[in-house]
Amino acid sequence: MLGLNAKDAGLFLLVTIMVILAPLILNPFPEGSELAQFNAGYPDLMQRFVIFGIFAIGFNILFGLTGYLSFGHAAFLGVGSYAAIWMMKLLTLNVIPAIIMAVIFAGLFALLVGFVSLRRSGIYFSILTLAFAQMSYALAYSVLTPLTGGETGLQIKSTDSPLLSNLANGEIGRANLFGLEMGSSFEWGVGNWLFTFNAGYYIAGIVMLMAFYMSIRIFRSPFGMMLRAVKSNQQRMNYTGLNSKPYTLAAFVISGMYAGLAGGLLVAMDTQVGPERMFWTASGEVVLMSILGGVGTLIGPVLGAGMIKYMENIISKINDNILHQWFAFLPDGMEDFVVFLIHPFIGKGWHLTLGLVFMAVVIFLPGGLVEGGQRIGRLFRRKKRDGAVGDAAKTPAE
Amino acid sequence: MGILEVKGVGKRFGGLAALSDVTLSVEENSVHAIIGPNGAGKSTLLNCLVGKLIPDTGSVMFDGQSVLGRKPHEINQMGISRVFQTPEIFGDLTVLENIMIPCFAKRDGAFRMHAFEQFSHEKELIEKSEHILEDVNMADKKDMHAASMSRGDKRRLEMAMCLVQDPKLLLLDEPTAGMARADTNNTIDLLKEINEKRKITMAIIEHDMHVVFSLAQRITVLAQGTPLVEDTPDNIKGNAKVQEAYLGESQN
Ligand SMILES: Nc1ncnc2c1ncn2[C@@H]1O[C@H](COP(=O)(O)OP(=O)(O)O)[C@@H](O)[C@H]1O
Ligand SMILES: [Mg+2]
């Protein structure tokens, strides 16, 4: 199907179903229940899942296949975002030109950064990309203020009147796809449950599926094999008549374009951008996503992105009051003590929890969440097989 | 004029003259052996031929063109493939993929953006690769992870990676080192067949005299970075200077 082998087609189908059903799957707890705060099925967060999924998928094409670890990929996300918002301010509030511009600008910038950084490999390459990203951040933060809005960034304002959008005087434009607004949602209440089907989420979801499909095709193509050859033995590659440089540069530019696509989509969803999007911690985050999910696997980066965005948005919302409610059944002294123990890991402390999870994964599951899934799968199959043998053994006795 | 003409090549590493004034000529379609004690500069000489090192002096002409100053991938595209002294393979890839990569390099050149083509559609190249794997007796190992193989298998794999490119000149750096006797004999037969049937010219560095005398039509003896003699195998056998060079080594 679609030029994929059976296994890949199955994976793609599974991801497609998950994307379609996410508003249901991610809202398992009824409104108003104590566990409702663990629901992730609201538009803003679901959009983040798929958009950062795209970012991580693209990063994985570079890092997972060629082994080149970029520490500056947030720069391409940022460049894409600025390009997109300018398109929306000047040309049209339709998101398509904005997203296309985001990809083009990020790709061009990646060509420049990659051309310079790929002169070195290993840690020197990482440092060069980091330096580029921090320079971009500094440019956006202050030097290029007229272009980037400096510290406060850029938003769609009532004074903006894009060429192709007919806005009433003073009306603040809203991002749309041929009239369908990103913010528009359809809500479906079933009993105590409330499910939100948001236009922006589904548009980003479709883009994510296309990006995922392209990444599968790249992984399975001769080009993908060459990228793995770069990681495996660049010397052998060169003595085999292949120029490893353009291969790595192409991978770098492709992954930069994925980042730009993610940046453009972020702007399409919330019509604003600030320089912090390019800060080095944002570059580090996508590295964590890939490693957490499983470097070099197809689905790993998406899982890693989902996990990190979930923790960032859900764990950070939990506060001491909520903890007291949960542990109210304990005797008073105990309750305070337990809350005291957990306190550093919630709210602003979610980074600490993430750090612990990350360490646990790297130490016990070097292949990331994907390896975890595979291990569980194997365990499950073995149990089933043992069970079958057990049944067979029992039958004669009965 | 040979297909490979090395003239007056010298290479120093700091104070050490690894090569000095090396001149040799490899005839088209022949097997030319380069022998000499350890540290004689044999591998260094090959490095100067494939662009890994640039000689300080002299010239290296292949097929009428200079190779000096060209990048390794350009030299390979001219038609020179090399088997290294320690096997250089793609350890993370399967055996079949290891063979496919040189196939693509031969067919598509140094770079091609085949990102949306499908590996499994390359029937012709896959067939060619499987064929060469049969030639080196590795057909049953095609889906193996290359890094997990024995050293001997890695050598044969690397040889297959070079052969599948149909090079004009094949450079082999101690191809049978670390191989069992039977594998060595198979390798001799394979190289002989390739030289005779496919007319591939070879320059081979080898310590095993059985291999050298079974294959070579010309032999160059290198000692301390300079050629002592270049002659036919029969004449080399009786040459006093050669005996001396090798006796010198065995006393160490
Ligand atoms: N890259 C290098 N840097 C410094 N010395 C080298 C280098 N490569 C080889 N040599 C030295 O040059 C001499 C010849 O080495 P080599 O060509 O490997 O010998 P052979 O292959 O004949 O055993 C040795 O003394 C070796 O130590
Ligand atoms: Mg050597």
Short mmCIF file of all heavy atoms in Angstrom, two decimals, chain A residues 303-358:
data_model
loop_
_atom_site.label_atom_id
_atom_site.label_comp_id
_atom_site.label_asym_id
_atom_site.label_seq_id
_atom_site.Cartn_x
_atom_site.Cartn_y
_atom_site.Cartn_z
N LEU A 303 6.51 9.35 19.76
CA LEU A 303 6.20 8.96 21.14
C LEU A 303 6.93 9.86 22.13
O LEU A 303 6.36 10.32 23.12
CB LEU A 303 6.60 7.50 21.39
CG LEU A 303 5.87 6.44 20.58
CD1 LEU A 303 6.39 5.05 20.92
CD2 LEU A 303 4.37 6.52 20.85
N GLY A 304 8.22 10.11 21.85
CA GLY A 304 9.01 10.95 22.74
C GLY A 304 8.43 12.36 22.82
O GLY A 304 8.32 12.93 23.91
N ALA A 305 8.05 12.89 21.66
CA ALA A 305 7.47 14.24 21.65
C ALA A 305 6.19 14.25 22.47
O ALA A 305 5.96 15.16 23.28
CB ALA A 305 7.19 14.67 20.21
N GLY A 306 5.34 13.24 22.30
CA GLY A 306 4.09 13.16 23.04
C GLY A 306 4.34 13.10 24.53
O GLY A 306 3.72 13.82 25.32
N MET A 307 5.29 12.26 24.92
CA MET A 307 5.58 12.08 26.33
C MET A 307 6.04 13.40 26.97
O MET A 307 5.56 13.79 28.04
CB MET A 307 6.69 11.03 26.45
CG MET A 307 7.15 10.80 27.85
SD MET A 307 6.77 9.11 28.29
CE MET A 307 7.39 9.09 29.95
N ILE A 308 6.97 14.07 26.30
CA ILE A 308 7.51 15.29 26.89
C ILE A 308 6.45 16.39 26.95
O ILE A 308 6.30 17.08 27.95
CB ILE A 308 8.76 15.76 26.11
CG1 ILE A 308 9.90 14.81 26.43
CG2 ILE A 308 9.12 17.20 26.48
CD1 ILE A 308 11.22 15.16 25.81
N LYS A 309 5.66 16.53 25.87
CA LYS A 309 4.64 17.56 25.88
C LYS A 309 3.55 17.25 26.90
O LYS A 309 2.97 18.15 27.51
CB LYS A 309 4.04 17.73 24.47
CG LYS A 309 4.98 18.42 23.51
CD LYS A 309 5.23 19.87 23.95
CE LYS A 309 6.60 20.34 23.51
NZ LYS A 309 7.00 21.62 24.06
N TYR A 310 3.27 15.98 27.09
CA TYR A 310 2.28 15.59 28.10
C TYR A 310 2.76 16.00 29.49
O TYR A 310 2.04 16.63 30.26
CB TYR A 310 2.02 14.09 28.04
CG TYR A 310 0.93 13.62 28.98
CD1 TYR A 310 -0.41 13.72 28.62
CD2 TYR A 310 1.24 13.08 30.24
CE1 TYR A 310 -1.42 13.30 29.48
CE2 TYR A 310 0.24 12.66 31.10
CZ TYR A 310 -1.09 12.77 30.72
OH TYR A 310 -2.09 12.36 31.56
N MET A 311 4.02 15.66 29.78
CA MET A 311 4.54 15.99 31.11
C MET A 311 4.60 17.49 31.30
O MET A 311 4.25 18.01 32.37
CB MET A 311 5.92 15.37 31.29
CG MET A 311 5.85 13.85 31.37
SD MET A 311 7.47 13.10 31.43
CE MET A 311 7.87 13.41 33.10
N GLU A 312 5.03 18.19 30.26
CA GLU A 312 5.17 19.65 30.37
C GLU A 312 3.82 20.29 30.68
O GLU A 312 3.72 21.24 31.44
CB GLU A 312 5.72 20.19 29.05
CG GLU A 312 5.83 21.70 29.00
CD GLU A 312 6.29 22.19 27.63
OE1 GLU A 312 7.14 21.52 27.01
OE2 GLU A 312 5.79 23.23 27.18
N ASN A 313 2.77 19.75 30.08
CA ASN A 313 1.46 20.39 30.23
C ASN A 313 0.63 19.83 31.36
O ASN A 313 -0.19 20.53 31.93
CB ASN A 313 0.68 20.28 28.92
CG ASN A 313 1.23 21.23 27.88
OD1 ASN A 313 0.86 22.39 27.83
ND2 ASN A 313 2.16 20.75 27.08
N ILE A 314 0.79 18.58 31.69
CA ILE A 314 -0.08 17.95 32.69
C ILE A 314 0.58 17.96 34.07
O ILE A 314 0.00 18.43 35.05
CB ILE A 314 -0.45 16.52 32.27
CG1 ILE A 314 -1.13 16.53 30.90
CG2 ILE A 314 -1.32 15.88 33.33
CD1 ILE A 314 -2.49 17.19 30.84
N ILE A 315 1.82 17.46 34.14
CA ILE A 315 2.46 17.40 35.45
C ILE A 315 2.70 18.80 36.00
O ILE A 315 2.61 19.03 37.20
CB ILE A 315 3.78 16.61 35.36
CG1 ILE A 315 3.43 15.17 34.97
CG2 ILE A 315 4.54 16.65 36.68
CD1 ILE A 315 4.53 14.20 35.07
N SER A 316 2.95 19.75 35.08
CA SER A 316 3.23 21.10 35.56
C SER A 316 1.97 21.75 36.14
O SER A 316 2.05 22.77 36.81
CB SER A 316 3.77 21.95 34.41
OG SER A 316 2.80 22.08 33.41
N LYS A 317 0.80 21.18 35.86
CA LYS A 317 -0.44 21.78 36.37
C LYS A 317 -0.79 21.28 37.78
O LYS A 317 -1.63 21.86 38.46
CB LYS A 317 -1.60 21.44 35.43
CG LYS A 317 -1.79 22.46 34.32
CD LYS A 317 -3.12 22.32 33.62
CE LYS A 317 -3.44 20.90 33.25
NZ LYS A 317 -4.42 20.76 32.17
N ILE A 318 -0.18 20.16 38.16
CA ILE A 318 -0.51 19.59 39.47
C ILE A 318 0.12 20.45 40.56
O ILE A 318 1.29 20.82 40.47
CB ILE A 318 0.01 18.15 39.58
CG1 ILE A 318 -0.62 17.31 38.47
CG2 ILE A 318 -0.27 17.55 40.94
CD1 ILE A 318 -0.02 15.93 38.35
N ASN A 319 -0.66 20.82 41.59
CA ASN A 319 -0.09 21.61 42.67
C ASN A 319 -0.37 20.95 44.03
O ASN A 319 -0.98 19.89 44.09
CB ASN A 319 -0.65 23.04 42.65
CG ASN A 319 -2.16 23.03 42.71
OD1 ASN A 319 -2.75 22.13 43.30
ND2 ASN A 319 -2.78 24.02 42.09
N ASP A 320 0.10 21.58 45.10
CA ASP A 320 -0.01 20.97 46.42
C ASP A 320 -1.46 20.71 46.82
O ASP A 320 -1.77 19.69 47.45
CB ASP A 320 0.67 21.86 47.46
CG ASP A 320 2.18 21.71 47.40
OD1 ASP A 320 2.64 20.94 46.52
OD2 ASP A 320 2.88 22.33 48.21
N ASN A 321 -2.37 21.64 46.46
CA ASN A 321 -3.78 21.43 46.81
C ASN A 321 -4.30 20.12 46.25
O ASN A 321 -4.98 19.36 46.93
CB ASN A 321 -4.63 22.58 46.26
CG ASN A 321 -4.41 23.84 47.07
OD1 ASN A 321 -3.95 23.76 48.22
ND2 ASN A 321 -4.68 24.98 46.47
N ILE A 322 -3.96 19.90 44.98
CA ILE A 322 -4.43 18.67 44.34
C ILE A 322 -3.85 17.46 45.05
O ILE A 322 -4.55 16.48 45.33
CB ILE A 322 -4.03 18.68 42.85
CG1 ILE A 322 -4.76 19.83 42.15
CG2 ILE A 322 -4.32 17.36 42.19
CD1 ILE A 322 -4.37 20.05 40.72
N LEU A 323 -2.57 17.54 45.41
CA LEU A 323 -1.94 16.43 46.12
C LEU A 323 -2.65 16.16 47.45
O LEU A 323 -2.91 15.02 47.81
CB LEU A 323 -0.46 16.74 46.39
CG LEU A 323 0.48 16.66 45.18
CD1 LEU A 323 1.91 16.89 45.63
CD2 LEU A 323 0.36 15.32 44.49
N HIS A 324 -2.95 17.25 48.17
CA HIS A 324 -3.65 17.08 49.46
C HIS A 324 -4.97 16.36 49.26
O HIS A 324 -5.34 15.49 50.05
CB HIS A 324 -3.84 18.44 50.15
CG HIS A 324 -2.62 18.90 50.88
ND1 HIS A 324 -2.14 18.25 52.00
CD2 HIS A 324 -1.77 19.92 50.64
CE1 HIS A 324 -1.05 18.86 52.42
NE2 HIS A 324 -0.79 19.88 51.61
N GLN A 325 -5.67 16.72 48.17
CA GLN A 325 -6.94 16.03 47.89
C GLN A 325 -6.71 14.54 47.70
O GLN A 325 -7.41 13.70 48.23
CB GLN A 325 -7.57 16.60 46.63
CG GLN A 325 -8.42 17.84 46.87
CD GLN A 325 -8.87 18.43 45.55
OE1 GLN A 325 -9.07 17.70 44.58
NE2 GLN A 325 -9.01 19.74 45.51
N TRP A 326 -5.66 14.23 46.89
CA TRP A 326 -5.41 12.82 46.59
C TRP A 326 -5.10 12.01 47.84
O TRP A 326 -5.51 10.87 47.97
CB TRP A 326 -4.23 12.68 45.64
CG TRP A 326 -4.53 13.10 44.24
CD1 TRP A 326 -5.75 13.43 43.74
CD2 TRP A 326 -3.60 13.23 43.18
NE1 TRP A 326 -5.63 13.75 42.43
CE2 TRP A 326 -4.33 13.65 42.05
CE3 TRP A 326 -2.22 13.04 43.07
CZ2 TRP A 326 -3.71 13.86 40.83
CZ3 TRP A 326 -1.61 13.25 41.87
CH2 TRP A 326 -2.36 13.67 40.75
N PHE A 327 -4.29 12.62 48.70
CA PHE A 327 -3.80 11.84 49.84
C PHE A 327 -4.59 12.14 51.12
O PHE A 327 -4.14 11.84 52.22
CB PHE A 327 -2.31 12.09 50.04
CG PHE A 327 -1.50 11.60 48.87
CD1 PHE A 327 -0.94 12.48 47.96
CD2 PHE A 327 -1.34 10.23 48.67
CE1 PHE A 327 -0.22 12.02 46.87
CE2 PHE A 327 -0.62 9.76 47.59
CZ PHE A 327 -0.06 10.66 46.69
N ALA A 328 -5.78 12.69 50.95
CA ALA A 328 -6.60 13.04 52.12
C ALA A 328 -6.93 11.82 52.97
O ALA A 328 -7.15 11.93 54.17
CB ALA A 328 -7.89 13.72 51.66
N PHE A 329 -6.91 10.63 52.35
CA PHE A 329 -7.27 9.43 53.11
C PHE A 329 -6.20 9.04 54.12
O PHE A 329 -6.42 8.26 55.01
CB PHE A 329 -7.53 8.25 52.15
CG PHE A 329 -6.32 7.85 51.37
CD1 PHE A 329 -5.48 6.87 51.87
CD2 PHE A 329 -6.01 8.44 50.15
CE1 PHE A 329 -4.35 6.50 51.16
CE2 PHE A 329 -4.89 8.07 49.44
CZ PHE A 329 -4.05 7.09 49.95
N LEU A 330 -4.97 9.61 53.97
CA LEU A 330 -3.90 9.28 54.92
C LEU A 330 -4.08 10.08 56.20
O LEU A 330 -4.68 11.15 56.19
CB LEU A 330 -2.55 9.63 54.30
CG LEU A 330 -2.13 8.78 53.09
CD1 LEU A 330 -0.87 9.37 52.46
CD2 LEU A 330 -1.89 7.33 53.51
N PRO A 331 -3.53 9.58 57.32
CA PRO A 331 -3.54 10.38 58.55
C PRO A 331 -2.80 11.70 58.29
O PRO A 331 -1.88 11.74 57.47
CB PRO A 331 -2.75 9.52 59.55
CG PRO A 331 -2.63 8.18 58.94
CD PRO A 331 -2.91 8.27 57.48
N ASP A 332 -3.23 12.79 58.99
CA ASP A 332 -2.73 14.14 58.70
C ASP A 332 -1.22 14.25 58.54
O ASP A 332 -0.72 14.77 57.55
CB ASP A 332 -3.19 15.10 59.81
CG ASP A 332 -4.50 15.76 59.40
OD1 ASP A 332 -4.96 15.46 58.27
OD2 ASP A 332 -5.04 16.55 60.20
N GLY A 333 -0.46 13.74 59.53
CA GLY A 333 1.00 13.85 59.50
C GLY A 333 1.56 13.17 58.27
O GLY A 333 2.38 13.73 57.53
N MET A 334 1.07 11.96 58.00
CA MET A 334 1.50 11.18 56.84
C MET A 334 1.22 11.95 55.55
O MET A 334 2.06 12.02 54.65
CB MET A 334 0.73 9.85 56.80
CG MET A 334 1.35 8.75 57.62
SD MET A 334 2.78 8.10 56.79
CE MET A 334 2.02 6.72 55.94
N GLU A 335 -0.01 12.50 55.50
CA GLU A 335 -0.43 13.22 54.30
C GLU A 335 0.54 14.35 53.98
O GLU A 335 1.06 14.45 52.87
CB GLU A 335 -1.85 13.78 54.52
CG GLU A 335 -2.38 14.52 53.32
CD GLU A 335 -3.69 15.23 53.64
OE1 GLU A 335 -4.48 14.67 54.43
OE2 GLU A 335 -3.92 16.32 53.10
N ASP A 336 0.85 15.16 55.01
CA ASP A 336 1.77 16.26 54.79
C ASP A 336 3.13 15.75 54.32
O ASP A 336 3.76 16.34 53.45
CB ASP A 336 1.94 17.08 56.08
CG ASP A 336 0.68 17.88 56.39
OD1 ASP A 336 -0.13 18.04 55.44
OD2 ASP A 336 0.51 18.31 57.54
N PHE A 337 3.56 14.66 54.91
CA PHE A 337 4.87 14.12 54.59
C PHE A 337 4.93 13.64 53.13
O PHE A 337 5.88 13.94 52.40
CB PHE A 337 5.21 12.97 55.55
CG PHE A 337 6.58 12.41 55.32
CD1 PHE A 337 7.71 13.22 55.53
CD2 PHE A 337 6.75 11.11 54.89
CE1 PHE A 337 8.98 12.71 55.31
CE2 PHE A 337 8.02 10.61 54.68
CZ PHE A 337 9.14 11.41 54.88
N VAL A 338 3.89 12.93 52.72
CA VAL A 338 3.87 12.43 51.34
C VAL A 338 3.84 13.60 50.35
O VAL A 338 4.57 13.61 49.36
CB VAL A 338 2.65 11.49 51.12
CG1 VAL A 338 2.48 11.18 49.64
CG2 VAL A 338 2.83 10.21 51.91
N VAL A 339 3.01 14.59 50.67
CA VAL A 339 2.93 15.76 49.78
C VAL A 339 4.28 16.46 49.73
O VAL A 339 4.76 16.86 48.67
CB VAL A 339 1.84 16.73 50.26
CG1 VAL A 339 1.90 18.04 49.47
CG2 VAL A 339 0.46 16.09 50.13
N PHE A 340 4.95 16.53 50.89
CA PHE A 340 6.27 17.15 50.97
C PHE A 340 7.26 16.40 50.07
O PHE A 340 8.09 17.00 49.38
CB PHE A 340 6.75 17.14 52.43
CG PHE A 340 8.18 17.50 52.61
CD1 PHE A 340 8.58 18.84 52.54
CD2 PHE A 340 9.14 16.53 52.84
CE1 PHE A 340 9.91 19.17 52.70
CE2 PHE A 340 10.47 16.86 53.00
CZ PHE A 340 10.86 18.19 52.92
N LEU A 341 7.15 15.06 50.05
CA LEU A 341 8.06 14.25 49.23
C LEU A 341 7.82 14.46 47.73
O LEU A 341 8.75 14.53 46.94
CB LEU A 341 7.88 12.77 49.55
CG LEU A 341 8.59 12.23 50.79
CD1 LEU A 341 8.40 10.72 50.88
CD2 LEU A 341 10.07 12.57 50.77
N ILE A 342 6.56 14.53 47.35
CA ILE A 342 6.24 14.61 45.93
C ILE A 342 6.37 16.03 45.39
O ILE A 342 6.65 16.24 44.22
CB ILE A 342 4.80 14.07 45.67
CG1 ILE A 342 4.72 12.62 46.15
CG2 ILE A 342 4.45 14.13 44.19
CD1 ILE A 342 3.36 11.99 45.96
N HIS A 343 6.22 17.01 46.32
CA HIS A 343 6.20 18.41 45.91
C HIS A 343 7.29 18.80 44.89
O HIS A 343 6.98 19.47 43.90
CB HIS A 343 6.29 19.31 47.16
CG HIS A 343 6.42 20.75 46.83
ND1 HIS A 343 5.33 21.53 46.53
CD2 HIS A 343 7.51 21.55 46.70
CE1 HIS A 343 5.75 22.75 46.25
NE2 HIS A 343 7.05 22.79 46.35
N PRO A 344 8.56 18.40 45.07
CA PRO A 344 9.58 18.88 44.12
C PRO A 344 9.38 18.38 42.69
O PRO A 344 9.99 18.91 41.77
CB PRO A 344 10.89 18.29 44.68
CG PRO A 344 10.59 17.84 46.06
CD PRO A 344 9.12 17.56 46.13
N PHE A 345 8.53 17.36 42.51
CA PHE A 345 8.43 16.75 41.18
C PHE A 345 7.24 17.24 40.37
O PHE A 345 6.99 16.78 39.28
CB PHE A 345 8.34 15.22 41.32
CG PHE A 345 9.57 14.64 41.94
CD1 PHE A 345 9.61 14.35 43.29
CD2 PHE A 345 10.70 14.42 41.16
CE1 PHE A 345 10.76 13.83 43.87
CE2 PHE A 345 11.85 13.90 41.73
CZ PHE A 345 11.87 13.61 43.09
N ILE A 346 6.45 18.13 40.96
CA ILE A 346 5.25 18.59 40.26
C ILE A 346 5.32 20.09 40.01
O ILE A 346 6.27 20.74 40.44
CB ILE A 346 3.98 18.26 41.08
CG1 ILE A 346 4.13 18.87 42.46
CG2 ILE A 346 3.74 16.76 41.14
CD1 ILE A 346 2.85 18.93 43.23
N GLY A 347 4.33 20.62 39.34
CA GLY A 347 4.32 22.05 39.05
C GLY A 347 5.57 22.40 38.27
O GLY A 347 5.92 21.73 37.30
N LYS A 348 6.28 23.44 38.75
CA LYS A 348 7.51 23.85 38.06
C LYS A 348 8.56 22.75 38.09
O LYS A 348 9.50 22.75 37.30
CB LYS A 348 8.06 25.10 38.74
CG LYS A 348 7.31 26.36 38.36
CD LYS A 348 8.26 27.55 38.39
CE LYS A 348 7.73 28.73 37.61
NZ LYS A 348 6.56 29.35 38.22
N GLY A 349 8.40 21.81 39.01
CA GLY A 349 9.37 20.72 39.15
C GLY A 349 9.20 19.63 38.11
O GLY A 349 9.86 18.60 38.20
N TRP A 350 8.35 19.84 37.09
CA TRP A 350 8.15 18.76 36.12
C TRP A 350 9.42 18.40 35.38
O TRP A 350 9.61 17.27 34.96
CB TRP A 350 7.03 19.12 35.14
CG TRP A 350 7.43 20.12 34.09
CD1 TRP A 350 7.39 21.47 34.18
CD2 TRP A 350 7.94 19.82 32.79
NE1 TRP A 350 7.85 22.05 33.03
CE2 TRP A 350 8.19 21.05 32.15
CE3 TRP A 350 8.21 18.64 32.10
CZ2 TRP A 350 8.71 21.13 30.87
CZ3 TRP A 350 8.73 18.72 30.82
CH2 TRP A 350 8.96 19.95 30.22
N HIS A 351 10.32 19.38 35.27
CA HIS A 351 11.61 19.09 34.64
C HIS A 351 12.37 18.00 35.39
O HIS A 351 13.07 17.19 34.80
CB HIS A 351 12.49 20.35 34.61
CG HIS A 351 12.14 21.26 33.48
ND1 HIS A 351 11.67 22.54 33.67
CD2 HIS A 351 12.17 21.07 32.15
CE1 HIS A 351 11.45 23.10 32.49
NE2 HIS A 351 11.74 22.24 31.56
N LEU A 352 12.21 18.02 36.71
CA LEU A 352 12.88 17.02 37.55
C LEU A 352 12.34 15.64 37.23
O LEU A 352 13.09 14.67 37.09
CB LEU A 352 12.61 17.39 39.01
CG LEU A 352 13.61 16.91 40.05
CD1 LEU A 352 14.99 17.40 39.71
CD2 LEU A 352 13.19 17.44 41.42
N THR A 353 11.02 15.57 37.12
CA THR A 353 10.39 14.29 36.78
C THR A 353 10.86 13.83 35.41
O THR A 353 11.24 12.67 35.22
CB THR A 353 8.86 14.44 36.75
OG1 THR A 353 8.48 15.20 37.89
CG2 THR A 353 8.18 13.10 36.74
N LEU A 354 10.88 14.77 34.47
CA LEU A 354 11.35 14.44 33.13
C LEU A 354 12.77 13.91 33.18
O LEU A 354 13.11 12.91 32.55
CB LEU A 354 11.27 15.67 32.22
CG LEU A 354 11.82 15.50 30.81
CD1 LEU A 354 11.04 14.44 30.06
CD2 LEU A 354 11.79 16.81 30.05
N GLY A 355 13.62 14.59 33.98
CA GLY A 355 15.02 14.17 34.10
C GLY A 355 15.12 12.74 34.61
O GLY A 355 15.89 11.94 34.07
N LEU A 356 14.31 12.41 35.61
CA LEU A 356 14.35 11.06 36.17
C LEU A 356 13.88 10.03 35.14
O LEU A 356 14.51 8.98 34.97
CB LEU A 356 13.48 10.98 37.43
CG LEU A 356 14.06 11.71 38.64
CD1 LEU A 356 13.07 11.65 39.81
CD2 LEU A 356 15.40 11.12 39.05
N VAL A 357 12.78 10.37 34.47
CA VAL A 357 12.28 9.45 33.45
C VAL A 357 13.33 9.25 32.37
O VAL A 357 13.62 8.12 31.93
CB VAL A 357 10.97 9.99 32.82
CG1 VAL A 357 10.57 9.17 31.61
CG2 VAL A 357 9.85 10.00 33.84
N PHE A 358 13.95 10.35 31.96
CA PHE A 358 14.96 10.28 30.91
C PHE A 358 16.11 9.38 31.32
O PHE A 358 16.55 8.51 30.58
CB PHE A 358 15.46 11.69 30.59
CG PHE A 358 16.40 11.74 29.44
CD1 PHE A 358 15.94 11.60 28.15
CD2 PHE A 358 17.76 11.91 29.64
CE1 PHE A 358 16.80 11.63 27.07
CE2 PHE A 358 18.63 11.95 28.57
CZ PHE A 358 18.16 11.81 27.29
#
